[in-house]
Amino acid sequence: MRLKKWIRSLAVVALCFALSGMAFAADLQKIRTAWLDGQETFPIWYAKEKGWDKEVGLDLEMLYF
């Protein structure tokens, strides 16, 4: 069950990066996301820590609730 959620989260992140590939020359687009603190947040958190969001023109803001 947890593996399915993790894979789904990873697929969402991959889709976001794939769709934002055209934003290389544009300014950073700020995206606010809301998450429950848990392992579902790992893919987004890891991408933000590595700076992958900036590489594709995004500025991810992680909001926890």
Side-chain angles (χ1 to χ4, degrees):
M1 187 65 116
R2 290 183 185 179
L3 180 62
K4 285 183 180 180
K5 286 183 180 181
W6 190 83
I7 290 172
R8 189 178 332 153
S9 298
L10 189 60
V12 168
V13 170
L15 180 63
C16 287
F17 285 135
L19 293 176
S20 65
M22 297 174 282
F24 283 112
D27 292 335
L28 292 179
Q29 181 178 2
K30 188 165 190 135
I31 297 177
R32 299 178 77 192
T33 61
W35 300 84
L36 288 174
D37 193 19
Q39 66 188 99
E40 290 83 13
T41 61
F42 180 75
I44 282 282
W45 174 84
Y46 192 72
K48 187 159 181 62
E49 286 293 310
K50 291 291 187 176
W52 296 341
D53 58 335
K54 305 284 192 266
E55 289 179 10
V56 295
L58 300 175
D59 181 17
L60 296 174
E61 180 181 359
M62 294 181 69
L63 304 171
Y64 297 102
F65 61 90

